[in-house]
């Protein structure tokens, strides 16, 4: 057994440290599948883990990174054999289980999804947890019965990872998408993804009225706090909003009015412990409902050295679209 390159997080006297280092293969955790990691990505949560801004990491030492795509090297799991192309999102990777910013990972075979033929390992990480979460949110709205005929869908945090993929998918499905952003300078980018309208997020960030003028049939929100409260208060009768994020805060200063007077539904989206069958369905939908040219447009590439600077930027809301991290 040898060593491999990895970003390691250690506990320090105050907080944590993160460094690119060599990791001993003998120290990998239990699992029935060993993967040669080809690509990872940078999500908001990775930014928190690398900078130590929030207690994402719950085991030390840790290898950071919540998402990986690569090729199976060794497997004692009946479903997987050497050479299979796989993706793994969440399940505690980079939090409680040694994660993705590494040349090797050992995980449970039950956590893996086989990549559809049309999605490369790089594309899988261009999508990443952010994109797969956006797909889960779209599927939740569909399950609630929303169709393009019902009216517009608002997407907040529009220029971020979840937002960008949500816009591209919703537009391809024929929805009229209203993108809410703090970066009006990104209007052309958002319209290129398929947004029909772009609004300034300040319109949605003040204190929410219990009910306001009905503006949309549904929403996909990665912002939380007053933004989610405003979206709910502006959702049409029997509409639905999928809540996936907390970029502005974890609170929800709302009232029950949208629920009991307009029958609005608030749908919770969790990607980390999401059941495997729903994951498979989401990846299969991403293969058919996300335009690969748009994915290329929203993605830029860094290597493991670049993760530290990008982590600071993503927390400052300065990253547009998606970042892929080249491992091999
Ligand atoms: P990004 O940083 O790529 O996007 C977040 C976007 O939110 C920013 O680009 C910005 O968009 C907007 N934003 C940032 N700060 C604020 C603020 N203070 N007020 C209003 N808007 C703000 O992150 P991701 O897209 O990767 O993730 C988005 C959120 O979803 C995060 O909170 C993340 O933790 C959560 N998440 C949850 C998952 C789940 O399983 N539920 C899975 C993946 C992510 P703009 O500049 O356009 O305004």
């Amino acid at each position: 057994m040898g060593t491999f390159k990895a970003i390691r997080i250690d506990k320090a006297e105050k907080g944590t440290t993160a460094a690119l280092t060599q990791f001993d293969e003998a120290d990998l955790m239990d699992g029935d599948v060993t993967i040669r990691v080809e690509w990872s990505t940078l999500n908001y949560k990775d930014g928190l883990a690398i900078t130590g801004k929030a207690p994402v990491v719950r085991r030390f030492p840790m290898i950071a990174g919540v998402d990986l795509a690569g090729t199976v090297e060794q497997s004692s799991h009946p479903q997987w054999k050497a050479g299979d192309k796989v993706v793994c999102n969440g399940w505690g990777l980079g939090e409680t289980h040694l994660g993705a910013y590494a040349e090797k990972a050992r995980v449970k075979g039950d956590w893996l999804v086989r990549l559809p033929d049309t999605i490369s390992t790089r594309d899988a990480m261009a999508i990443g947890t952010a994109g797969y979460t956006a797909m889960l949110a779209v599927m939740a709205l569909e399950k609630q019965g929303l169709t393009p005929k019902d009216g517009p869908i608002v997407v907040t945090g529009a220029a971020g990872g979840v937002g960008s993929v949500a816009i591209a998918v919703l537009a391809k499905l024929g929805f009229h998408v209203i993108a809410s952003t703090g970066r009006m300078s990104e209007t052309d980018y958002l319209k290129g993804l398929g947004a029909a309208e772009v609004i300034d997020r300040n319109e949605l960030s003040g204190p929410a009225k219990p009910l306001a003028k009905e503006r949309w049939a549904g929403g996909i929100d990665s912002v939380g706090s007053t933004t989610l409260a405003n979206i709910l208060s502006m959702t049409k009768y029997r509409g639905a909003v999928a809540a996936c994020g907390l970029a502005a805060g974890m609170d929800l200063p709302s009232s029950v009015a949208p629920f009991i007077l307009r029958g609005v539904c608030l749908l919770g989206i969790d990607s980390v412990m999401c059941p495997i069958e729903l994951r498979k369905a989401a990846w299969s939908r991403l293969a058919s409902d996300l335009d690969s040219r748009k994915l290329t447009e929203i993605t830029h590439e860094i290597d493991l050295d670049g993760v530290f600077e990008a982590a600071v930027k993503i927390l400052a809301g300065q990253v547009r679209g998606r970042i892929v991290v080249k491992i091999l």
Side-chain angles (χ1 to χ4, degrees):
M1 284 210 192
T3 63
F4 58 86
K5 226 172 19 172
I7 294 184
R8 175 179 162 135
I9 311 266
D10 282 290
K11 212 168 179 47
E13 212 170 288
K14 272 192 185 163
T16 56
T17 58
L20 185 54
T21 175
Q22 287 293 316
F23 201 90
D24 206 326
E25 197 173 338
D27 293 334
L28 278 174
M29 292 166 74
D30 286 347
D32 43 15
V33 180
T34 305
I35 298 163
R36 176 166 284 269
V37 184
E38 291 162 13
W39 294 91
S40 184
T41 179
L42 185 87
N43 295 285
Y44 191 86
K45 192 189 263 179
D46 297 311
L48 293 173
I50 293 284
T51 59
K53 284 256 162 65
V56 167
V57 177
R58 279 166 284 141
R59 172 217 194 256
F60 298 96
M62 176 51 71
I63 295 175
V66 306
D67 269 342
L68 66 83
T71 304
V72 171
E73 209 173 63
Q74 262 186 335
S75 165
S76 57
H77 187 283
Q79 206 182 320
W80 304 109
K81 59 174 190 336
D84 287 341
K85 299 281 181 196
V86 292
V87 61
C88 188
N89 310 105
W91 294 117
L93 273 190
E95 301 183 60
T96 52
H97 192 96
L98 293 175
Y101 293 149
E103 290 167 314
K104 268 183 209 275
R106 185 170 301 133
V107 300
K108 288 188 182 166
D110 291 347
W111 292 352
L112 300 172
V113 173
R114 190 178 304 279
L115 276 179
D117 289 342
T118 51
I119 300 185
S120 65
T121 49
R122 187 182 190 276
D123 282 352
M125 287 297 97
I127 294 167
T129 283
Y132 137 71
T133 301
M135 193 72 234
L136 290 175
V138 170
M139 288 162 67
L141 295 180
E142 287 175 341
K143 192 170 173 207
Q144 203 54 36
L146 285 191
T147 69
K149 280 198 298 251
D150 294 309
I153 305 289
V154 65
V155 175
T156 62
V162 174
S164 294
V165 177
I167 293 168
V169 170
L170 287 167
K172 184 157 187 212
L173 294 171
F175 284 95
H176 179 106
V177 181
I178 303 177
S180 162
T181 184
R183 293 179 270 180
M184 291 304 283
S185 54
E186 297 293 358
T187 296
D188 287 348
Y189 165 81
L190 296 167
K191 290 206 163 161
L193 285 177
E197 297 175 54
V198 179
I199 63 172
D200 191 315
R201 75 183 188 202
N202 285 334
E203 280 187 41
L204 303 175
S205 58
K209 293 179 185 162
L211 290 178
K213 186 168 176 277
E214 292 168 89
R215 290 177 74 175
W216 31 71
I220 294 182
D221 176 58
S222 24
V223 172
S225 192
T226 48
T227 301
L228 178 53
N230 274 295
I231 290 180
L232 288 166
S233 75
M234 296 174 190
T235 300
K236 288 183 181 182
Y237 189 74
R238 292 188 71 78
V241 177
C244 1
L246 71 172
M250 225 189 206
D251 58 329
L252 178 53
S254 183
S255 78
V256 296
F259 312 123
I260 64 171
L261 298 175
R262 287 191 183 149
V264 169
C265 285
L266 180 56
L267 311 170
I269 306 299
D270 166 60
S271 64
V272 178
M273 301 308 288
C274 175
I276 194 75
E277 290 309 321
L278 192 49
R279 288 170 187 256
K280 288 181 188 167
W283 279 99
S284 156
R285 287 288 306 275
L286 283 159
S288 59
D289 295 339
L290 177 61
D291 185 333
S292 61
R293 277 165 310 176
K294 285 189 180 161
L295 188 62
T296 305
E297 275 164 37
I298 69 173
T299 303
H300 75 275
E301 187 178 314
I302 61 174
D303 58 17
L304 278 173
D305 282 316
V307 165
F308 302 94
E309 189 187 340
V312 174
K313 283 194 174 158
I314 201 165
L315 297 189
Q318 289 166 1
V319 168
R320 183 177 94 172
R322 302 278 305 130
I323 295 179
V324 286
V325 181
K326 187 169 171 44
I327 308 285
L328 282 184

